[in-house]
Amino acid sequence: MRGSRVYGDGGGGGGLGKTAAFLAAVVLCGLLLLTGGADAQGIQPVSSHKTLRGEAPLVIAKGGFSGVFPGSSQDAYNFAALASMPDTSWWCDVQLTKDAVGICLGNIDMKNSTTIATAYPARKSTYVVDGAPKAGWFSVDFNMSELQTVALTQSIWSRTDKFDYYGYAILSVTDLPTIVKRPSLWLNVQHDIFYRQHGLSMRSYMLSILKRVSVNYISSPELGFLQSIAPRVGSKTKLVYRFPDKLTSDPSTNQTYSSMLSNLTFIKTIASGIMVPKIYIWPVSDDNYLKPPESIVQDAHKAGLEIYASDFANDRIIPYNYSYDPLQEYLSFVSNGDFSVDGVLTDFPITASEAIGCFNNLNASKADHGKPLIISHNGASGDYPDCTDLAYQNAIKDGADMIDCTLQVTSDGVLICMSSINLLETTNVQRTSFSNLASVIPAMQPTTGVFTFNLTWENISNSALTPKMSSPWSNYYLVRNPRYTNEGKFLKFTDFLEYGKNKDLSGIMVIIENAAFMAKSLGFDIIESVTTALSDAGYSNQTAKEVMIQSEDSAVLVKFKQQKTQYKLVYTLPQGIGDASNSSLADIKEFADAVVVDKKSVFAQSLHFIINQTNLLKDLQSAGLAVYAQVFSNEFVSQPWDFFSDATVEINSYVQTLKIDGLITDFPKTVRRYKRNSCTGLGDNTPVYMQTVNVGDLAKLIKSQGVPGAQPPAVAPMPVLNTSSVEQPAFPPVSPKGSTPGASPPPGSSPSAAYAVAASTCSLLVAVCAALLI
């Protein structure tokens, strides 16, 4: 046991943090485009909140905006203040130094979030924490003065480490009120017993700090600690009992947290609220799907307790029911129609603020089909296998304005919707008898494939051949809706056209690929076939549904243009271009009304940071071309750091800043919900958390520090689109089918056709041999 201490704060924010403080004032203020007034941050009124007191749920910023900056750093707190609700509470996990200074650190082992191991490599210790030995670097072994040379770092390895080079100083509790005026402070005391074992009294520290700092909330998983300070805490400070894992025990009561849940009335005699992990409220199955919610929120409210949910972060794998959309997860806790928690603890306070302030009470109007258009990408392919009946049904249900069909052809000349001509990418063909059709066709791709033109429509619609869910981010171990991996039915183009006719859609997008190959190698005229199918389905003599024809082959669009088609022609630009010459724009306008651009052509990126916006979008819009951007996904790895792992922040930037005409998305419901948010159209009164980000400012913030190794590598200028890139060889004449008798079967031949050729040849040989024998 160590001697008693005088409790106070020696202050933090030493030399390491001075530059960061200046940068926070200069650069962070520009990270959001503050188009509204300083007071335009309040939430929109809602009919009612199902919280204990009917008030809006509280946003609690864990260590500030710790999803981007090192937790509990000055810039993390600064940015939380800039990008969240005005009453957002700043969370500080209080640790005590050897000289009894309270500091904000997210973990009792300082190695997890600081450079302590580098600064003091020989001072590693082993202590008993929560009943188990733990090795590491502990604040009880260091005076505050010794920590002035220790910097804060990002504690989650999957997040960017570029701000670790900043040298953010460890902050004391008394530093927090100096960062922003009148903050709402939430102090969490996780290990009172541990500090008592080392001669430090967390109780004395907290009571002393309450005399100098306005503290709104104090939480702890040790009920005994809360009980010890309760008589001395004023009415302006709420005490919250924090529940960790149900199977562990409260060391101050020796009761399991699971058993404590059944005694909420006793907890109410000490605390005004409880905080629980979110799985206490919405349990999750072993395969990561939601189970029915527990009654804990209603039980807590019945006992007169507020209840807060913890463990929210945009960059974690959340239950598949949420389709990787963190905003949807928040809404299930604050706006599900049955209950609402009283607050959420999050690493990304901007997203929680959006949920409560702008999406808690969505505009009730039905889908308008105005700008920006919501265009599905292989249907609702984020939740269901590409181009299946399920994907299209749910795209329509989820609010798509237009559904898309990428056309492929079968060996018997049936047009089908399939995201890839290679069935190995879209089906389970490798597990069927059709796998023996695998071959390399250099004109298509350099690797082995089983292609749609190898099989008849009957083969493809066979029950043995099933769809396969696309997983564009599987390299990050992010898979989509596993329960539906092989569900759904493939569609003929004619079936797709029927889907689009009588639904609440503004139109359909028909995507033509490999047209020249089909004409030359398969003897199939896809342009004629598409024109005929559209006419037969009634699309050629109506105006209610817009038809878009999209292709990356300008010769295809030129051919349609020559036919004086009434359909809208859309040119898919090459990927990775950053500018367009005047001559190329003039060429495009000769045959197209709109273009599709890849998102990476809009912003130049380095190590997932946006460096700048390219000139491409401005060039295209100045030329009078409608611009559709692709592909929008919900998975957090699909967005640059600048959008905070939040699909809604990214969508908002494309809509409000870039004025994009349409978004092509795997998740139509995410964009549709965005278009229904209650903050749209508020103008100068738009709350800060729904204002667009100043893209590129994170990279500027890093660059301004000038620290070697911190800056993302410079990016080379992106290529310019020129006339030679746009012009394609004229559409080739269609080869007659069967024009060369006795020749080897073309790539489009079905297995039966190939067999017929072989059988015919064999019969001829047998006849010749028989004649010779006679």
Side-chain angles (χ1 to χ4, degrees), residues 49-381:
H49 293 282
K50 294 184 180 294
T51 54
L52 179 63
R53 294 177 175 80
E55 300 170 349
L58 178 69
V59 176
I60 311 158
K62 186 178 182 183
F65 207 122
S66 54
V68 174
F69 300 97
S72 302
S73 66
Q74 185 157 344
D75 281 358
Y77 286 122
N78 263 318
F79 196 56
L82 287 171
S84 327
M85 293 282 209
D87 62 345
T88 293
S89 196
W90 291 6
W91 173 281
C92 164
D93 281 293
V94 183
Q95 316 293 344
L96 290 179
T97 63
K98 185 177 182 179
D99 51 347
V101 175
I103 57 175
C104 297
L105 278 181
N107 196 288
I108 195 168
D109 181 1
M110 299 176 69
K111 181 184 178 183
N112 292 342
S113 56
T114 73
T115 58
I116 189 76
T118 302
Y120 299 101
R123 294 177 67 174
K124 186 176 182 180
S125 303
T126 300
Y127 294 125
V128 174
V129 180
D130 293 335
K134 185 178 182 67
W137 282 258
F138 299 87
S139 60
V140 294
D141 293 328
F142 298 88
N143 289 321
M144 187 64 191
S145 59
E146 295 178 288
L147 298 181
Q148 297 298 306
T149 57
V150 176
L152 295 168
T153 59
Q154 178 57 256
S155 60
I156 306 297
W157 285 16
S158 59
R159 296 172 182 169
T160 180
D161 65 349
K162 294 305 177 184
F163 295 104
D164 292 359
Y165 295 87
Y166 252 51
Y168 289 112
I170 295 173
L171 300 177
S172 70
V173 173
T174 53
D175 286 329
L176 298 185
T178 68
I179 296 175
V180 71
K181 190 176 181 181
R182 294 191 302 275
S184 170
L185 291 186
W186 187 308
L187 303 183
N188 181 60
V189 176
Q190 199 72 11
H191 300 287
D192 169 56
I193 291 176
F194 172 81
Y195 288 107
R196 275 193 278 141
Q197 291 169 344
H198 290 268
L200 294 164
S201 172
M202 187 65 78
R203 177 182 181 275
S204 298
Y205 173 78
M206 294 302 290
L207 293 178
S208 70
I209 211 71
L210 286 172
K211 297 175 182 177
R212 292 176 290 147
V213 176
S214 176
V215 178
N216 302 77
Y217 301 87
I218 298 174
S219 60
S220 178
E222 298 178 11
L223 191 61
F225 169 72
L226 296 178
Q227 194 170 22
S228 72
I229 65 172
R232 302 279 300 277
V233 173
S235 59
K236 292 183 178 180
T237 302
K238 294 182 178 181
L239 301 183
V240 178
Y241 184 43
R242 189 180 185 193
F243 284 78
D245 192 305
K246 287 183 180 180
L247 300 179
T248 59
S249 296
D250 179 343
S252 69
T253 65
N254 291 322
Q255 295 184 50
T256 63
Y257 289 104
S258 179
S259 66
M260 296 293 287
L261 275 178
S262 62
N263 204 0
L264 295 178
T265 53
F266 172 67
I267 293 173
K268 181 64 174 70
T269 64
I270 299 168
S272 63
I274 60 174
M275 175 174 280
V276 299
K278 59 188 180 182
I279 59 170
Y280 275 44
I281 300 169
W282 283 98
V284 179
S285 66
D286 291 341
D287 60 345
N288 198 36
Y289 286 87
L290 292 176
K291 295 180 179 180
E294 300 286 357
S295 63
I296 184 172
V297 176
Q298 294 91 330
D299 295 342
H301 287 170
K302 182 183 280 189
L305 288 165
E306 293 179 316
I307 179 168
Y308 305 89
S310 64
D311 300 343
F312 289 91
N314 293 1
D315 53 358
R316 290 180 183 170
I317 296 177
I318 56 181
Y320 295 119
N321 310 69
Y322 300 128
S323 303
Y324 289 101
D325 182 359
L327 184 55
Q328 186 60 42
E329 182 181 33
Y330 286 110
L331 290 174
S332 73
F333 286 83
V334 303
S335 182
N336 65 32
D338 294 325
F339 61 81
S340 173
V341 296
D342 297 274
V344 291
L345 176 63
T346 174
D347 294 5
F348 293 83
I350 190 171
T351 308
S353 298
E354 292 166 359
I356 296 167
C358 297
F359 292 87
N360 197 23
N361 190 33
L362 294 176
N363 292 325
S365 58
K366 283 196 69 175
D368 70 274
H369 297 305
K371 183 178 172 180
L373 285 176
I374 304 170
I375 306 170
S376 72
H377 180 245
N378 305 318
S381 58

Side-chain angles (χ1 to χ4, degrees), residues 534-717:
L534 287 168
S535 178
D536 291 347
Y539 282 88
S540 61
N541 55 8
Q542 57 83 49
T543 57
K545 304 289 186 189
E546 184 173 40
V547 177
M548 295 189 188
I549 307 292
Q550 177 190 342
S551 182
E552 63 182 8
D553 186 345
S554 60
V556 170
L557 301 180
V558 167
K559 187 96 181 266
F560 273 103
K561 191 77 171 182
Q562 290 169 348
Q563 295 176 354
K564 302 188 183 303
T565 180
Q566 75 271 36
Y567 307 133
K568 188 171 186 176
L569 302 180
V570 183
Y571 179 51
T572 306
L573 295 182
Q575 293 187 11
I577 58 174
D579 209 336
S581 67
N582 290 333
S583 59
S584 69
L585 293 172
D587 289 341
I588 292 171
K589 293 202 70 177
E590 289 292 323
F591 60 80
D593 311 292
V595 294
V596 170
V597 300
D598 186 80
K599 290 193 302 181
K600 290 185 178 179
S601 294
V602 177
F603 297 115
Q605 297 183 37
S606 177
L607 294 183
H608 229 45
F609 287 94
I610 293 177
I611 304 302
N612 55 56
Q613 180 182 337
T614 67
N615 293 322
L616 180 63
L617 202 59
K618 181 182 67 175
D619 295 340
L620 296 168
Q621 291 170 333
S622 298
L625 290 162
V627 182
Y628 309 125
Q630 68 175 11
V631 173
F632 288 82
S633 299
N634 287 352
E635 288 93 342
F636 56 87
V637 295
S638 71
Q639 299 113 25
W641 298 120
D642 302 64
F643 297 132
F644 315 126
S645 306
D646 183 345
T648 299
V649 173
E650 180 180 42
I651 292 166
N652 193 42
S653 291
Y654 274 81
V655 174
Q656 300 299 335
T657 302
L658 303 181
K659 309 299 181 185
I660 206 78
D661 294 282
L663 299 99
I664 300 173
T665 174
D666 294 344
F667 298 91
K669 61 186 175 185
T670 303
V671 187
R672 173 56 61 194
R673 189 192 56 223
Y674 167 79
K675 289 181 71 171
R676 292 180 59 204
N677 83 81
S678 59
C679 294
T680 296
L682 292 181
D684 289 346
N685 293 318
T686 302
V688 292
Y689 44 82
M690 278 300 290
Q691 293 171 22
T692 55
V693 298
N694 230 353
V695 294
D697 273 5
L698 284 180
K700 292 176 185 175
L701 186 62
I702 296 169
K703 186 177 181 180
S704 65
Q705 195 63 350
V707 179
Q711 300 176 34
V715 293

Side-chain angles (χ1 to χ4, degrees), residues 364-418:
S365 58
K366 283 196 69 175
D368 70 274
H369 297 305
K371 183 178 172 180
L373 285 176
I374 304 170
I375 306 170
S376 72
H377 180 245
N378 305 318
S381 58
D383 292 310
Y384 302 95
D386 295 2
C387 302
T388 58
D389 58 342
L390 288 177
Y392 290 125
Q393 290 167 8
N394 283 278
I396 296 168
K397 176 184 173 184
D398 291 343
D401 295 311
M402 306 192 78
I403 54 173
D404 68 308
C405 169
T406 300
L407 291 175
Q408 314 297 347
V409 67
T410 65
S411 64
D412 51 347
V414 176
L415 281 175
I416 62 174
C417 298
M418 191 78 73

